[in-house]
Amino acid sequence: EYETYANQPLLIMDGFEISIQTLADMDPDRVASIVVLKDAAATAIYGSRAANGVIVIESKTPKPGRIWVTYGGELRIEAPDMTGYNLMNAREKIDAELQSGLYTYGGETVEKWQLYQSKLREVLAGVNTYWLDKPLQTAFQQRHTVTLEGGDEALRYRMYVGYNSSPGVMKDSKRDVLTGSLDFQYRLKKVLLKNSITLDNSVANESPWGSFSEYTRLNPYLRPYGENGEIQKRLDNFEGVGGESSYLNPMYNTTFNSKDQSKNFTVRELFRVEYNPTNELRFEGAFNLSKSVGHRDIFRPAQHTLFDNVTDPTLRGDYRRSQSEAVSWGIDLTGSWNKQLKDHYLTANARMSVLENNSETYGNYVTGFPNDNMDNLLFGKKYNEKVTGDERTTRSIGWVAAGG
């Protein structure tokens, strides 16, 4: 959701722009420093792209000397915070419905009175379901990393492998990320060369328990389970008072096989060269190239509550598959001069950048899946003849000069 915010800052890592998801998946142990630039300081370096500020991240450089092998392990516990919710219990809810005139509006009838009595019997029997905790869990997350680095003052290298497993607080939601990187740094007199290649593979599963907001709207006098402990499909009936004839249980969609899974693979190449002819003068050139491919599969069989009112068998159950591919590259050229004259400090810098981003997405939609074992696109009965998708290309070129 953060990527849709209008005022998000520019994220820069090792001189190149990154996405918020790349930042979220990054191992904190790889970060050497984080600097926040705002206002004129950001614009002077990054131009109009920095209108909302810049977060500059520098990753750690390889250590010189002997070979270092480092293991890092991390265990995190994430628990849902329900302190902000103050909902009625079953008795309070049924009393509020009665006092609001739900069962008397338009005139009292036997049918309305029977509906009220049936719900009151459940309250008196002790039914008081706390629906908010049904789709939630305490998530145990873990991260493991192995780093090998070494070299000398002229040549340094660093190899990194990391695995991050992040189950969510919604049951059966999870995101796993496997990262590998290889960094080289070579210094030849006044020239410094840096190269880094990174591979990321992520797999994310959305929760089959539906949206949390659905559970906030369910009445506490309803039973989620039947007499034999099975999850009920239908919970309530307000047809007698002019409401819906059937309220469906979002928990029911966990009793069969469904899928909402995303996979993504990204390769990033970063190359930078620095040249310092004097102590005051510095030139820097950088090139980055990244490519990512991914796809998302959403499968819901005919048993899903979404198709409860659908009678056509060719429309009951659906499968949506979308695929994406993105390629981006950028070149940055920077020159800076700094000089201290007694009590005065003079500085000047110039920067030019060229960026291009290409992306395309396409997908298809198929319906007619009679059972949850047919979880493949090929088993559908009716194909949407129109393949959806879009293609985008953005280019930008900018330069900025500043002095003081």
Side-chain angles (χ1 to χ4, degrees):
E1 295 180 359
Y2 176 84
E3 293 183 349
T4 63
Y5 290 176
N7 298 323
Q8 61 175 297
L10 179 67
L11 303 176
I12 299 293
M13 184 179 74
D14 295 335
F16 301 104
E17 184 176 355
I18 61 172
S19 66
I20 184 62
Q21 189 61 65
T22 301
L23 177 62
D25 292 336
M26 189 176 184
D27 181 4
D29 289 336
R30 296 181 62 193
V31 177
S33 65
I34 298 178
V35 178
V36 178
L37 302 178
K38 298 186 293 184
D39 305 326
T43 306
I45 301 176
Y46 296 99
S48 60
R49 292 188 298 155
N52 297 316
V54 185
I55 298 177
V56 181
I57 304 165
E58 290 291 332
S59 62
K60 293 180 179 178
T61 58
K63 297 179 181 179
R66 62 181 182 176
I67 296 178
W68 299 77
V69 179
T70 307
Y71 165 78
E74 177 183 323
L75 178 64
R76 308 180 300 274
I77 300 177
E78 187 170 320
D81 181 9
M82 310 302 295
T83 57
Y85 292 89
N86 183 19
L87 304 182
M88 297 180 182
N89 59 33
R91 185 73 210 200
E92 293 169 339
K93 184 60 167 62
I94 192 68
D95 288 345
E97 291 178 354
L98 181 63
Q99 295 173 15
S100 67
L102 179 63
Y103 303 101
T104 58
Y105 180 77
E108 297 185 13
T109 64
V110 175
E111 187 178 27
K112 292 179 182 179
W113 184 249
Q114 290 176 341
L115 181 62
Y116 169 72
Q117 290 295 325
S118 67
K119 299 181 186 304
L120 182 60
R121 281 195 296 271
E122 291 291 274
V123 175
L124 297 177
V127 178
N128 187 27
T129 305
Y130 187 65
W131 286 99
L132 298 189
D133 65 358
K134 298 303 180 186
L136 302 179
Q137 65 179 2
T138 298
F140 295 89
Q141 305 172 348
Q142 56 183 317
R143 187 194 301 269
H144 304 277
T145 64
V146 176
T147 305
L148 185 151
E149 54 190 331
D152 51 31
E153 292 300 328
L155 176 64
R156 302 182 191 180
Y157 57 87
R158 185 173 190 264
M159 290 179 285
Y160 169 90
V161 176
Y163 171 71
N164 185 25
S165 177
S166 303
V169 294
M170 290 291 288
K171 291 179 179 178
D172 300 321
S173 65
K174 189 178 183 182
R175 178 178 173 83
D176 291 339
V177 180
L178 182 63
T179 301
S181 67
L182 179 61
D183 302 334
F184 284 100
Q185 178 177 302
Y186 180 69
R187 180 177 293 279
L188 179 62
K189 296 182 179 179
K190 297 181 179 182
V191 178
L192 177 63
L193 303 176
K194 295 181 179 181
N195 192 83
S196 175
I197 183 169
T198 303
L199 291 83
D200 286 319
N201 187 73
S202 65
V203 179
N205 291 285
E206 299 295 332
S207 173
W209 291 76
S211 171
F212 180 72
S213 62
E214 295 180 82
Y215 295 86
T216 64
R217 296 191 292 267
L218 295 176
N219 287 315
Y221 50 68
L222 301 175
R223 298 176 185 261
Y225 305 102
E227 296 180 356
N228 298 319
E230 75 281 4
I231 296 178
Q232 299 190 102
K233 183 175 184 179
R234 291 175 174 80
L235 294 174
D236 211 345
N237 189 332
F238 277 96
E239 188 175 15
V241 291
E244 294 186 24
S245 60
S246 179
Y247 279 79
L248 300 173
N249 185 356
M251 294 172 56
Y252 182 75
N253 293 326
T254 66
T255 62
F256 47 80
N257 176 40
S258 63
K259 177 168 58 175
D260 187 350
Q261 185 181 77
S262 301
K263 294 183 178 180
N264 193 74
F265 179 75
T266 303
V267 178
R268 294 191 302 274
E269 161 66 20
L270 309 177
F271 175 75
R272 179 186 296 181
V273 55
E274 298 178 9
Y275 175 52
N276 296 273
T278 66
N279 292 332
E280 296 85 13
L281 191 60
R282 176 183 178 185
F283 298 102
E284 181 178 322
F287 171 76
N288 79 93
L289 175 67
S290 68
K291 180 175 182 178
S292 63
V293 293
H295 63 84
R296 182 179 181 182
D297 295 276
I298 303 176
F299 167 68
R300 296 171 295 195
Q303 299 96 315
H304 199 281
T305 55
L306 182 68
F307 309 104
D308 188 61
N309 295 322
V310 178
T311 57
D312 187 346
T314 65
L315 299 178
R316 289 177 57 83
D318 65 357
Y319 197 118
R320 188 182 300 274
R321 182 182 178 90
S322 58
Q323 295 191 211
S324 62
E325 181 175 329
V327 177
S328 64
W329 62 269
I331 297 175
D332 288 312
L333 301 175
T334 305
S336 60
W337 176 79
N338 300 282
K339 182 72 173 180
Q340 185 170 0
L341 299 175
K342 295 183 179 179
D343 297 333
H344 301 281
Y345 188 77
L346 303 177
T347 180
N349 65 78
R351 180 184 179 93
M352 186 189 77
S353 62
V354 180
L355 302 173
E356 179 175 298
N357 295 285
N358 299 280
S359 65
E360 64 176 23
T361 61
Y362 55 92
N364 207 340
Y365 183 67
V366 183
T367 58
F369 293 85
N371 64 71
D372 60 337
N373 292 321
M374 305 175 70
D375 57 351
N376 190 287
L377 194 70
L378 301 176
F379 294 141
K381 295 181 178 180
K382 186 176 182 179
Y383 282 71
N384 189 333
E385 296 179 356
K386 184 179 180 181
V387 176
T388 61
D390 65 72
E391 182 178 352
R392 299 181 183 181
T393 298
T394 61
R395 299 183 180 92
S396 66
I397 180 171
W399 53 88
V400 62

